[in-house]
Amino acid sequence: MLTCRAVWKKLAPLARASSTVCRQNVRRAGWNNARTPLCVPVAHMSTGPVGGGSDNLKYALLVGAAFVGGLTYAVITLKGDQKRHVERMTEISSRKQKSASQIQTEPPAPLETKLEAAAAPDAEAAAPSETAEPPPVDEPLAEASAEEAAAPLTDAGVEEAADSKPSLPSHAPYLLIGGGTASFAAARSIRARDPGAKVLIVTDEPDLPYMRPPLSKELWFSDDPSVTETLRFKQWNGKERSIYFQPPSFYVDAEELSGAENGGVAVLTGRKVVHMDVRGNKVKLDDDMEISYDKCLIATGGVPRNLQVIERAGEEVMKRTTVFRKIDDFKSLDKVSRNAQSITIIGGGFLGSELACALGRRSTESGLEVIQMFPEKGNMGKVLPEYLSNWTTEKVKKEGVKVIREAVVKSVSYKDDKLEIKLKDGRVVRTDHIVAAVGLEPNVDLAKSAGLEVDSDFGGYRVNAELQARSNIWVAGDAACFYDIRLGRRRVEHHDHAVVSGRLAGENMTGANKPYWHQSMFWSDLGPDVGYEAIGIVDSSLPTVGVFAKATAKDTPKAATEESGTGIRSESETEDTASSAVAPAAPAPVVSHRDEYGKGVIFYLREKVVVGIILWNVFNRMPIARKIIKDGEEHADLNEVAKLFNIHED
């Protein structure tokens, strides 16, 4: 009833005006017929002089239609206003700003009140305003007067108060999930092609984007006792740099990204994306905050694996076990290495061998016992041919590491303040701390909520040649299972792949539509004297051909970085400088292997075609190797192909 009365008050002036027009028209009709009526009934507009009934009926229909149309318009408009009001209030409250939380608002005005206010605009204009103005933005809310505090706060007031302090963006044109190398490379690429772009990186780590390779390499060789705080290190060439890609001043505060006139890159640290609504183009964070996006990159990387026997061993064992991946893991292991008597590294791959050499160097100064165990016959046995794996194992031993080959862990327990590792062959190893370096599991936690496909063979999100998982979703880095135009579907877990795939994803997010053709490389350094770079499929189960030469003082990682000026060798790699890899046709001789492998090239073959290459202490020649694999040709004499790398030059 109240609603009807309010609507009538709104439309009464219109009805009265229409009635007045009708009476005037009736008088005109009377004058035209020489009959001036004495009075015109007010309530019965159809009553009138002879000859005017048809016109009165038309006016009655017009008034009725106007009434129905006006009522419909009023209801639709008010419902729309109420819906927008609720949505705006929800958005404001989701910002979780202190300024907004201190505002004590009254519930939204009922529909009847809004109708009554709309029905009497003239009366409101004549009366003094009863709605207090919101306090200025720079004025504390607590200092508002009693009269202002008692007055209801309008929608505009709530909005201005909520915006008095910057809030986290609820929308990002470019949203990058993950704060690693791939995300940073994508952000740089986006900004290069779209200088005004606003890019938001969301990472569950507390740190800004940084490079991971130094965590297991150069940082361990630093003489600075505060290296765990500064995270600055000297490269093999003696030059110092930070582990972070850019200083904090490079980034825009996340709260200011939406209003940044020239755009920028913002990093939201310590937040994890837990749900992805692909149809709605939005994600939900672990604090229930929602962020919408136009285009999104998933670069969530991977999670380090652990042995199940360790995970089942109990809390005491887990407390004394490190799975190495992040800055916090480096800091934790550095502290352990300065206090423990013995550390055992389980794993003979790249990470395990690098950490073993790094800690072995430290053991000569502190008396720390460093043990490395793995199920293979030698270090990096899944990658290097057996003769080179055995040579590498001896190299690791010379660094002060006790190597236990063909070791399969059966159980781990905690006894008498020591961890006891029992192997399947009956051997027992007692140690203070364990480092599990047994591989990486791609992080595909968002696959279920996003409805994205995960590759059953290699893991990771399946993407097309342009690194797309959906029309506005790209994947890069360790989490991407991509199609290699030369080697088939693959997933790569190395720094160079993160750089290149992130860069390409960023370009394609800005409309480049370029396929992924790059053959990514990786490198590993066993200290400053021995290092190698590899590309393609390097699997020790494949046939290999090795060509070696005598090493010189220039054939070390230290000398290579002195020449190039950078310790991150992959970032400067380009294929444009590669020479033609055409070798003359000649019978392929048997390549003999020596006990000393100073420098050389190892070719990995599949059906007589080179699919992988390792450059052993040969640096800055990766473009040539990349071209050889891309050409995909059979070579009759790989000794001649090896000459392209200048390994016989002094």
Side-chain angles (χ1 to χ4, degrees), residues 545-560:
V545 175
V547 181
F548 293 87
K550 184 178 180 180
T552 67
K554 298 185 298 182
D555 302 315
T556 64
K558 181 178 181 179

Side-chain angles (χ1 to χ4, degrees), residues 497-509:
H497 170 67
V499 172
V500 177
S501 63
R503 181 190 305 146
L504 178 66
E507 291 178 358
N508 288 340
M509 291 173 77

Side-chain angles (χ1 to χ4, degrees), residues 310-321 412 414 419:
I310 295 178
E311 293 177 339
R312 295 195 300 260
E315 183 180 354
E316 292 297 328
V317 173
M318 287 296 294
K319 286 195 304 184
R320 293 165 174 81
T321 301
V412 181
Y414 180 67
L419 295 176

Side-chain angles (χ1 to χ4, degrees), residues 330-471:
F330 164 72
K331 293 181 177 180
S332 173
L333 186 58
D334 178 80
K335 182 178 180 181
V336 169
S337 68
R338 299 182 187 278
N339 299 298
Q341 296 178 345
S342 172
I343 294 179
T344 298
I345 300 168
I346 301 177
F350 309 109
L351 177 61
S353 298
E354 289 171 0
L355 288 176
C357 287
L359 291 173
R361 285 272 181 113
R362 181 171 292 185
S363 68
T364 59
E365 303 173 357
S366 62
L368 172 69
E369 181 186 33
V370 180
I371 304 170
Q372 184 187 18
M373 59 174 62
F374 41 79
E376 295 81 23
K377 293 182 179 180
N379 285 78
M380 292 173 286
K382 293 182 179 180
V383 175
L384 301 178
E386 184 175 352
Y387 63 89
L388 199 54
S389 174
N390 293 335
W391 185 91
T392 304
T393 302
E394 295 303 316
K395 168 67 177 174
V396 173
K397 288 181 178 179
K398 291 179 181 179
E399 296 292 335
V401 180
K402 179 181 178 182
V403 178
I404 303 177
R405 313 183 194 204
E406 300 180 273
V408 179
V409 179
K410 181 180 180 181
S411 65
V412 181
S413 59
Y414 180 67
K415 294 181 180 179
D416 302 327
D417 296 329
K418 290 282 187 179
L419 295 176
E420 189 175 273
I421 305 172
K422 291 184 178 180
L423 306 181
K424 284 191 176 181
D425 59 6
R427 288 178 290 180
V428 178
V429 176
R430 291 176 60 81
T431 188
D432 294 321
H433 197 85
I434 292 176
V435 179
V438 292
L440 195 71
E441 193 73 28
N443 185 347
V444 292
D445 292 345
L446 296 175
K448 185 175 181 180
S449 63
L452 302 178
E453 182 181 4
V454 175
D455 189 87
S456 58
D457 296 326
F458 300 98
Y461 299 95
R462 285 180 69 97
V463 295
N464 62 14
E466 297 175 2
L467 302 181
Q468 275 186 306
R470 287 285 187 91
S471 59

Side-chain angles (χ1 to χ4, degrees), residues 80-115:
D81 289 342
Q82 190 175 33
K83 182 180 179 180
R84 286 190 292 272
H85 170 76
V86 172
E87 291 176 349
R88 183 58 180 162
M89 293 299 293
T90 302
E91 179 184 354
I92 292 173
S93 62
S94 68
R95 294 175 178 174
K96 296 178 182 280
Q97 294 298 304
K98 294 182 179 181
S99 59
S101 64
Q102 294 175 355
I103 300 174
Q104 301 297 327
T105 61
E106 293 185 0
L111 182 62
E112 295 81 9
T113 304
K114 289 189 174 183
L115 284 170

Side-chain angles (χ1 to χ4, degrees), residues 513-582:
N513 299 323
K514 294 167 59 175
Y516 187 82
W517 58 265
H518 180 81
Q519 288 294 335
S520 60
M521 58 86 73
F522 64 91
W523 79 96
S524 181
D525 295 334
L526 304 179
D529 300 324
V530 176
Y532 61 89
E533 298 175 351
I535 188 173
I537 299 176
V538 286
D539 187 336
S540 60
S541 64
L542 294 174
T544 61
V545 175
V547 181
F548 293 87
K550 184 178 180 180
T552 67
K554 298 185 298 182
D555 302 315
T556 64
K558 181 178 181 179
T561 53
E562 287 177 350
E563 181 180 351
S564 65
T566 174
I568 307 300
R569 299 191 287 270
S570 63
E571 292 191 55
S572 59
E573 292 296 333
T574 60
E575 193 188 10
D576 297 337
T577 60
S579 303
S580 175
V582 178

Side-chain angles (χ1 to χ4, degrees), residues 135-141 143 164:
V137 173
D138 57 348
E139 233 179 83
L141 293 174
E143 296 180 4
S164 61

Side-chain angles (χ1 to χ4, degrees), residues 15-237:
R16 287 195 294 271
S18 299
S19 178
T20 301
V21 172
C22 291
R23 289 197 300 272
Q24 292 174 351
N25 288 335
V26 169
R27 290 191 182 97
R28 294 192 189 98
W31 291 334
N32 293 337
N33 290 279
R35 298 177 186 175
T36 303
L38 297 176
C39 65
V40 181
V42 175
H44 305 284
M45 290 183 294
S46 61
T47 303
V50 179
S54 176
D55 292 336
N56 289 342
L57 179 60
K58 292 180 181 178
Y59 286 119
L61 293 175
L62 178 61
V63 171
F67 177 83
V68 174
L71 179 61
T72 304
Y73 175 81
V75 172
I76 293 175
T77 301
L78 291 172
K79 285 186 177 180
D81 289 342
Q82 190 175 33
K83 182 180 179 180
R84 286 190 292 272
H85 170 76
V86 172
E87 291 176 349
R88 183 58 180 162
M89 293 299 293
T90 302
E91 179 184 354
I92 292 173
S93 62
S94 68
R95 294 175 178 174
K96 296 178 182 280
Q97 294 298 304
K98 294 182 179 181
S99 59
S101 64
Q102 294 175 355
I103 300 174
Q104 301 297 327
T105 61
E106 293 185 0
L111 182 62
E112 295 81 9
T113 304
K114 289 189 174 183
L115 284 170
E116 290 175 359
D122 295 337
E124 288 183 358
S129 175
E130 295 180 357
T131 304
E133 292 293 329
V137 173
D138 57 348
E139 233 179 83
L141 293 174
E143 296 180 4
S145 64
E147 181 181 354
E148 291 174 335
L153 199 60
T154 63
D155 294 353
V158 174
E159 181 176 350
E160 288 182 15
D163 291 337
S164 61
K165 291 185 179 180
S167 60
L168 295 176
S170 59
H171 177 79
Y174 296 96
L175 177 64
L176 313 183
I177 304 175
T181 301
S183 275
F184 181 78
R188 284 197 306 190
S189 182
I190 291 170
R191 290 280 295 170
R193 289 176 54 87
D194 183 4
K198 297 178 181 179
V199 182
L200 177 63
I201 298 176
V202 180
T203 173
D204 58 354
E205 294 192 52
D207 304 288
L208 296 173
Y210 61 92
M211 58 189 77
R212 298 189 191 277
L215 294 177
S216 59
K217 296 181 177 72
E218 293 94 338
L219 281 174
W220 290 98
F221 294 88
S222 174
D223 297 328
D224 184 1
S226 62
V227 65
T228 55
E229 301 300 325
T230 63
L231 296 176
R232 297 188 64 84
F233 61 95
K234 287 185 178 180
Q235 302 171 101
W236 303 140
N237 59 4

